[in-house]
């Protein structure tokens, strides 16, 4: 406990790891927790993007990253790694995918293998079941997945989009017209408030 | 001559790094040079370093981590190691430790025993030696960086089948008795540390711990001491899924990148210390008493 365990070498995870594990309410105890998390990890590696409760997703993320880093380090000929993959991946076709597809993908990757987003929380008043659990959902995905990105592409400036260009021009026109109409109004007011006779006398004397 | 050249090269590399760091444009170049230096250093670090110098690695518990304190501790550990040579030994090696004792004749006290455990890290690193003297089992815990500890001699360098040997307390006394004046056994340099496959016989119950619940490889035929009740309860308490818990083992360990960083820091000093020790040992051996009188 007080000294570091050094029998097994492992790579540093490029993901923030909380100091303590989450117990994740389940009737199976610590074994049940691992079995439930293995289902999440299998789904993540199989479908490459899953929507899951935040705490479960965060826990599964650590295990997925560790599994991928071990698979990259030791390869599929290493017996303990194969046993680990056998436990964590319920679907045996995903074991093949891990070593043949995901390992070459993440071998020279600079960042983490997974990415997590916060999903919108829907509070559906019609559905009584949903009312009971106001879920803190998150989207957990593998980097390099074939789907369109979760977040919109912010690399291009909004101002260049045609509707924004037209809107900006319309806004400028509106303000110009408003200024013009206001200045006309002021001139008319000036002429109307002052006495017409006094004006003529003033001009004549000068 | 070659050593002087190496030092000059190192100095030049350091100057190069400093020069580059003054120019903001070549920041990328500087990091490349630094990386190359680190890679060179880490390539000298053998994979055995993490076993030999395990106490240099910090406690992986997050709430106890403090990089400044760890760096200062490592510095202190190295400076203590220049005063006393702390050899490489493992749990299962037979070690003799000499500590200062103000009340004994000669002011020193030498204790020899088998190392049953090595605990803790940093300056708190300690080891327990066990021996049976006058039919009384004795264990003494020595702190490796204790200034009153004068000498550590490895009498027999070997490993056992288990990482902790607390079961020797419930084993037959012959497995814990070692002659206090044992002669040191030398192993050829560079060879692997031998693993002693000795299996120990335990005394009949009662025991100090439930040895059947710990997966002990160094105990011979533990079943002869067990009833069905013990087997049933041990099976109930067993946690075979723990070996699959990847995050638990991650939180208990230090990742490889950090290990390399730490060992690259201490590498050059440790090499210096080891070389000096070898020189001293050679010098001692070369002194021989004359056999014939003048």
């Amino acid at each position: 406990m007080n000294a570091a365990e050094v029998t097994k070498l492992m790579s540093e995870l490029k993901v923030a790891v909380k100091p303590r594990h989450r117990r994740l309410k389940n009737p199976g105890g610590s074994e049940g927790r691992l079995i439930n998390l293995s289902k999440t990890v299998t789904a993540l590696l199989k479908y490459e993007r899953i929507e899951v409760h935040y705490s479960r997703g965060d826990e599964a993320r650590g295990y997925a990253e560790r599994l991928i880093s071990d698979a990259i380090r030791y390869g599929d000929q290493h017996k303990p790694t194969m046993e680990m993959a056998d436990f964590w991946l319920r679907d045996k076709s995903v074991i093949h995918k891990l070593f043949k597809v995901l390992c070459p993908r993440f071998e020279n990757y600079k960042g983490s293998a997974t990415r997590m987003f916060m999903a919108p929380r829907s509070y559906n008043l019609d559905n009584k079941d949903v009312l009971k659990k106001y879920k803190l959902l998150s989207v957990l995905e593998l980097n390099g997945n074939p789907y369109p990105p979760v977040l919109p592409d912010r690399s291009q400036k909004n101002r260049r989009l045609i509707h924004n260009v037209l809107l900006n021009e319309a806004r400028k026109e509106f303000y110009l017209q408003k200024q013009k109409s206001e200045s006309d109004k002021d001139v008319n007011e000036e002429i109307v408030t002052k006495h017409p006779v006094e004006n003529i006398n003033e001009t004549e004397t000068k | 001559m070659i050593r002087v050249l190496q030092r000059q090269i190192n100095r030049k590399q350091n100057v190069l790094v400093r020069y580059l760091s003054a120019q903001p444009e070549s920041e990328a170049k500087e990091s490349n040079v630094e990386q190359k230096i680190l890679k060179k250093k880490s390539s000298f670090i053998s994979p055995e370093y993490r076993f030999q110098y395990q106490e240099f690695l910090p406690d992986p518990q997050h709430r106890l981590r403090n990089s400044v304190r760890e760096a200062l501790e490592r510095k202190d550990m190295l400076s203590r190691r220049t005063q006393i040579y702390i050899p490489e030994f493992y749990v299962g090696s037979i070690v003799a430790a000499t500590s200062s004792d103000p009340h004994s004749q000669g002011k020193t006290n030498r204790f020899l025993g088998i190392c049953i455990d090595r605990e803790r890290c940093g300056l708190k690193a300690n080891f327990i030696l066990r021996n049976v003297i006058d039919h009384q089992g004795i264990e003494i815990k020595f702190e490796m960086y204790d200034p009153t500890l004068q000498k550590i001699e490895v009498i027999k360098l070997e490993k056992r089948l288990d990482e902790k040997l607390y079961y020797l307390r419930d084993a037959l006394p012959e497995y814990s008795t070692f002659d206090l004046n044992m002669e040191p056994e030398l192993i050829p340099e560079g060879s692997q540390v031998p693993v002693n496959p000795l299996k120990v016989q335990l005394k009949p119950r009662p025991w100090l711990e439930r040895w059947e619940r710990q997966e002990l490889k160094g105990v011979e035929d533990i079943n002869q001491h067990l009833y069905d009740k013990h087997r049933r309860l041990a099976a109930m308490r067993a946690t075979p899924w723990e070996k699959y818990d990847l995050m638990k083992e991650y939180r208990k360990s230090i990742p490889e990148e950090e290990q390399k960083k730490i060992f690259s820091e201490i590498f050059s000093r440790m090499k210096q210390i080891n070389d000096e020790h070898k020189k001293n040992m050679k010098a001692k051996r070369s002194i021989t008493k004359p056999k014939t009188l003048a």
Side-chain angles (χ1 to χ4, degrees):
Chain A
M1 191 194 119
N2 291 308
E5 297 278 327
V6 291
T7 37
K8 185 174 177 186
L9 265 181
M10 49 193 90
S11 309
E12 191 170 6
L13 291 185
K14 289 155 190 165
V15 153
V17 171
K18 284 197 148 80
R20 254 214 111 211
H21 66 281
R22 290 183 183 85
R23 286 192 280 177
L24 297 178
K25 189 162 127 181
N26 76 88
S30 43
E31 189 180 9
R33 172 178 169 275
L34 285 187
I35 290 169
N36 284 344
L37 281 171
S38 73
K39 292 177 187 171
T40 313
V41 169
T42 313
L44 171 64
L45 296 198
K46 186 174 179 182
Y47 299 113
E48 298 201 28
R49 183 183 285 169
I50 54 170
E51 200 175 284
V52 76
H53 195 274
Y54 175 72
S55 24
R56 177 172 301 280
D58 199 37
E59 289 293 298
R61 191 180 184 194
Y63 287 104
E65 292 268 1
R66 278 283 292 118
L67 189 64
I68 291 169
S69 87
D70 265 6
I72 291 167
R73 180 184 272 272
Y74 295 110
D76 60 348
Q77 299 303 316
H78 191 236
K79 202 177 172 204
T81 312
M82 210 26 154
E83 279 176 15
M84 203 65 88
D86 188 51
F87 175 87
W88 280 101
L89 304 173
R90 307 262 131 183
D91 193 350
K92 302 309 160 192
S93 61
V94 187
I95 299 177
H96 180 267
K97 183 183 176 185
L98 168 71
F99 288 110
K100 300 295 176 193
V101 175
L102 299 178
C103 278
R105 192 200 288 183
F106 295 118
E107 222 169 333
N108 299 314
Y109 223 72
K110 279 198 173 172
S112 60
T114 56
R115 208 172 161 193
M116 204 150 124
F117 305 95
M118 302 300 284
R121 299 176 77 169
S122 62
Y123 196 66
N124 194 347
L125 287 165
D126 300 326
N127 192 343
K128 277 191 182 174
D129 292 323
V130 174
L131 273 184
K132 280 186 202 169
K133 358 176 194 178
Y134 180 41
K135 281 188 188 175
L136 180 63
L137 284 175
S138 63
V139 173
L140 181 55
E141 66 166 15
L142 283 181
N143 278 329
N145 64 63
Y147 309 121
V150 172
L151 294 175
D153 184 21
R154 299 274 180 198
S155 56
Q156 297 296 314
K157 293 278 180 186
N158 266 350
R159 265 185 255 166
R160 285 193 183 178
L161 297 168
I162 187 65
H163 56 280
N164 281 335
V165 167
L166 295 170
L167 277 170
N168 282 333
E169 288 303 310
R171 196 179 293 124
K172 280 183 204 168
E173 245 187 77
F174 173 77
Y175 278 119
L176 270 172
Q177 270 186 353
K178 199 174 175 187
Q179 273 178 5
K180 211 179 174 183
S181 64
E182 276 187 357
S183 61
D184 287 345
K185 226 198 245 178
D186 286 339
V187 166
N188 288 337
E189 273 180 13
E190 272 183 41
I191 295 167
V192 163
T193 47
K194 287 191 180 171
H195 209 279
V197 175
E198 279 174 301
N199 278 342
I200 291 164
N201 281 348
E202 270 178 19
T203 49
E204 273 187 336
T205 49
K206 282 174 186 171
Chain B
M1 185 59 189
I2 297 165
R3 250 190 234 164
V4 171
L5 276 173
Q6 189 62 43
R7 254 183 264 150
Q8 278 180 350
I9 291 163
N10 287 341
R11 268 193 223 129
K12 273 190 183 162
Q13 277 175 341
N14 287 333
V15 168
L16 189 68
V17 169
R18 260 182 265 138
Y19 175 70
L20 287 171
S21 65
Q23 295 176 334
E25 288 167 355
S26 44
E27 260 176 33
K29 275 189 200 170
E30 177 205 314
S31 64
N32 274 342
V33 168
E34 274 187 11
Q35 272 177 19
K36 276 182 192 165
I37 293 169
L38 240 184
K39 267 187 188 169
K40 268 191 188 172
K41 276 191 181 173
S42 56
S43 64
F44 289 127
I45 296 162
S46 72
E48 297 299 313
Y49 255 54
R50 66 185 203 270
F51 299 112
Q52 283 179 26
Y53 305 115
Q54 198 177 343
E55 73 264 16
F56 281 94
L57 297 175
D59 192 339
Q61 273 188 70
H62 179 262
R63 64 185 179 87
L64 300 173
R65 295 297 301 271
N66 183 333
S67 52
V68 175
R69 192 203 70 232
E70 286 157 24
L72 290 172
E73 274 200 34
R74 264 177 259 137
K75 199 177 159 194
D76 280 348
M77 282 156 81
L78 285 170
S79 61
R80 176 64 192 160
R81 275 179 181 255
T82 55
Q83 301 300 318
I84 161 183
Y85 179 68
I86 297 175
E88 170 199 358
F89 67 96
Y90 303 96
V91 168
S93 312
I94 298 165
V95 174
T98 316
S99 61
S100 53
D101 186 0
H103 306 294
S104 70
Q105 222 180 31
K107 303 290 180 190
T108 56
N109 189 359
R110 185 174 184 266
F111 185 76
L112 183 144
I114 183 166
C115 177
I116 62 169
D117 191 15
R118 277 184 73 164
E119 264 191 332
R120 296 192 157 223
C121 55
L123 290 167
K124 301 189 220 92
N126 58 38
F127 58 98
I128 304 176
L129 298 180
R130 179 183 168 80
N131 207 335
V132 173
I133 295 168
D134 287 343
H135 308 289
Q136 173 63 55
I138 293 176
E139 286 175 14
I140 303 184
K141 186 185 272 192
F142 294 98
E143 294 195 8
M144 274 160 76
Y145 296 93
D146 187 354
T148 59
L149 191 62
Q150 291 184 2
K151 197 178 186 187
I152 303 173
E153 305 158 66
V154 173
I155 307 296
K156 193 174 183 188
L157 177 65
E158 63 180 11
K159 290 188 192 179
R160 287 285 188 98
L161 295 169
D162 299 299
E163 281 186 14
K164 296 189 195 279
L165 302 175
Y166 285 104
Y167 56 79
L168 289 176
R169 293 170 178 168
D170 281 326
L172 297 173
E174 66 211 44
Y175 294 102
S176 310
T177 28
F178 302 96
D179 181 22
L180 286 173
N181 303 311
M182 249 173 106
E183 290 288 314
E185 288 178 32
L186 299 165
I187 295 177
E189 216 184 282
S191 62
Q192 251 195 354
V193 176
V195 178
N196 190 348
L198 179 68
K199 293 214 173 193
V200 142
Q201 271 187 3
L202 297 179
K203 289 189 284 197
R205 287 185 113 100
W207 291 334
L208 289 162
E209 283 183 45
R210 285 182 259 233
W211 305 117
E212 75 274 9
R213 291 195 191 173
Q214 304 174 22
E215 289 157 22
L216 300 172
K217 294 166 203 161
V219 174
E220 189 183 335
D221 197 21
I222 199 167
N223 275 314
Q224 65 177 240
H225 302 289
L226 304 180
Y227 293 121
D228 279 334
K229 166 185 133 182
H230 299 128
R231 277 180 269 262
R232 191 170 29 92
L233 291 173
M236 214 168 76
R237 287 280 170 185
T239 56
W241 59 83
E242 234 183 77
K243 62 175 182 275
Y244 299 117
D245 201 334
L246 291 161
M247 288 311 288
K248 191 167 194 172
E249 71 181 9
Y250 183 77
R251 286 188 178 103
K252 278 190 184 175
S253 71
I254 304 286
E256 194 194 3
E257 287 87 349
E258 220 183 309
Q259 278 187 24
K260 273 194 176 162
K261 209 170 149 190
I262 291 167
F263 291 132
S264 61
E265 264 180 46
I266 64 167
F267 166 73
S268 47
R269 279 294 287 284
M270 283 309 310
K271 195 166 182 298
Q272 254 178 11
I273 290 164
N274 288 335
D275 289 341
E276 277 214 37
H277 174 75
K278 275 185 205 166
K279 241 199 265 178
N280 290 339
M281 294 302 284
K282 270 190 184 170
K284 277 187 189 169
R285 270 179 230 144
S286 64
I287 296 165
T288 50
K289 285 186 182 171
K291 284 178 185 171
T292 52
L293 294 168

